[in-house]
Amino acid sequence: MAALGIAIGGSNWFSALALGVTLLKCLLIPTYHSTDFEVHRNWLAITHSLPISQWYYEATSEWTLDYPPFFAWFEYALSHVAKYFDQEMLNVRNLNYSSSRTLLFQRFSVIFTDALFVYAVHECCKCIDGKKAGKELTEKPKFILSVLLLWNFGLLIVDHIHFQYNGFLSGLMLLSIARFFQKRHMEGAFLFAVLLHFKHIYLYVAPAYGVYLLRSYCFTANKPDGSIRWNSFSFVRLISLGLIVFLVSALSLGPFLALNQLPQVFSRLFPFKRGLCHAYWAPNFWALYSALDKVLSVIGLELKLLDPNKIPKASMTSGLVQQFQHTVLPSVTPLATFICTLIAMLPSVFCLWFKPQGPRGFLRCLILCALSSFMFGWHVHEKAILLAVLPMSLLSVGKAVDASIFLILTTTGHYSLFPLLFTAPEKKSLFLIGWKLSTSLAWDLWKSSVNLYSLSPPGT
């Protein structure tokens, strides 16, 4: 880390970090890609070749369009650039189509749209208090935060190897958080509303946004003890927020409402017939629950307490549209997971309402909502851990306690992503690089954060 600080130096360190990770992304272009590569190629073809009335009905491929309309328009915009690379990639019937030009276009589309993520990180750095920064570059909170976000190993795996657009979407979320720290609440609310219509997984953190805006923006004053001053409520601010949500939703869903296709759109966005666990098990409560059911079923068969002919044959983790019944334990429904997720979120939401601590309190609530959904949500992808890891980076440079929590979260969270590196080259090289980035680097940065507060790491 000290060598990195010397190499970067001066006032251009942020640009150097951004350029360095961009070059690394370019080096990852030839690596393997998952089925998500074909998913997004198919969406390019659907939005480019078909009228809007058929977007959410097209089912030639099993990878049907199941993101909100803004993302569909995003694919539509990309498709008009893609046609100059390879027109064949935009043919709906060219299933599993891949060419060198298609690969280059899709890889570079992720790298190019990451510019929004870089800008969001830059804005987040402005919100960090630098008064306690040390003399060394690696002791500056803004530098630490930039490294943790720009060089996040999870994003490198998921976006630039596995293939997705999480950097671009995470940029919208981080930018909305930065706007709250900058007291630009309307902009933050607008950005989050837009984000929801790009990818609906962010509904999981919507309670944090809703409660924070209602408590700390619509109510303009508190009593001396911190409780609500009810007569400070601003209907104008509430109406303004409602108008933002309405206009963004109308722009996104309006065309499909006019076509009387909203039920079809929502059926694609919320396919509850998918299994409880994703193909790659996210390390959450339901993974333990399902594993326990497997153990109990094996014991039951050995003890001849179960009839082997009555044990379900379907796999609970194929990731495709299907239903699965547990053998011994009660089967879990989407409603049950929703209730468990809601119960897990309530303490943090109540704390945000009754003991508001400004934007930092909102950020803590957002992280806890993300972790609650990760632990108890339905069909959770292992990649969903980034929804908590990325915003937790902002807290990690503020207090040593938060840095300790972040060290555990980022290590376990990124470790759970390693199964995505299932081909030989990535296993041999990127596994080791990733372990360095997600553990040793995080440890070095944590010690730097501890030094800022004149604390000592445990055991020293």
Side-chain angles (χ1 to χ4, degrees), residues 16 18 27 146 160-161 229 244 296 307 321 330 353 370 374 403 406 410 422:
L27 291 176
S146 298
H160 303 280
I161 300 177
R229 190 181 296 277
I244 286 176
L296 292 177
D307 184 355
V321 177
W353 177 266
F374 182 81
F406 174 77
T410 191
F422 56 81

Side-chain angles (χ1 to χ4, degrees), residues 39-85:
V39 169
H40 288 281
R41 187 216 58 82
N42 184 55
W43 293 359
L44 286 172
I46 290 174
T47 55
H48 184 84
S49 305
L50 302 176
I52 185 175
S53 60
Q54 298 181 32
W55 285 3
Y56 286 93
Y57 283 94
E58 165 59 35
T60 301
S61 169
E62 63 181 317
W63 313 116
T64 54
L65 180 59
D66 58 4
Y67 273 24
F70 277 179
F71 201 93
W73 287 111
F74 170 72
E75 296 278 8
Y76 174 79
L78 288 180
S79 72
H80 285 278
V81 181
K83 65 183 180 182
Y84 295 107
F85 282 75

Side-chain angles (χ1 to χ4, degrees), residues 273-290:
K273 289 185 178 180
R274 289 184 177 179
L276 175 65
C277 296
H278 183 53
Y280 295 107
W281 286 23
N284 63 3
F285 178 81
W286 303 122
L288 296 175
Y289 186 90
S290 299

Side-chain angles (χ1 to χ4, degrees), residues 1-2 4-6 8-14 17 124-126 128-149 393-394 396-398 441 444-453:
M1 289 302 297
L4 179 61
I6 295 174
I8 294 177
S11 60
N12 297 321
W13 56 264
F14 185 87
L17 286 174
C124 287
C125 288
K126 294 180 180 179
I128 300 301
D129 183 13
K131 294 181 180 179
K132 296 182 179 181
K135 295 181 180 180
E136 296 293 332
L137 182 61
T138 54
E139 295 180 354
K140 296 180 183 296
K142 293 183 179 181
F143 175 79
I144 295 172
L145 179 62
S146 298
V147 173
L148 292 177
L149 290 174
S393 302
L394 277 72
S396 69
V397 297
L441 178 59
D444 291 340
L445 296 175
W446 175 75
K447 289 191 291 185
S448 298
S449 180
V450 169
N451 292 336
L452 296 179
Y453 291 87

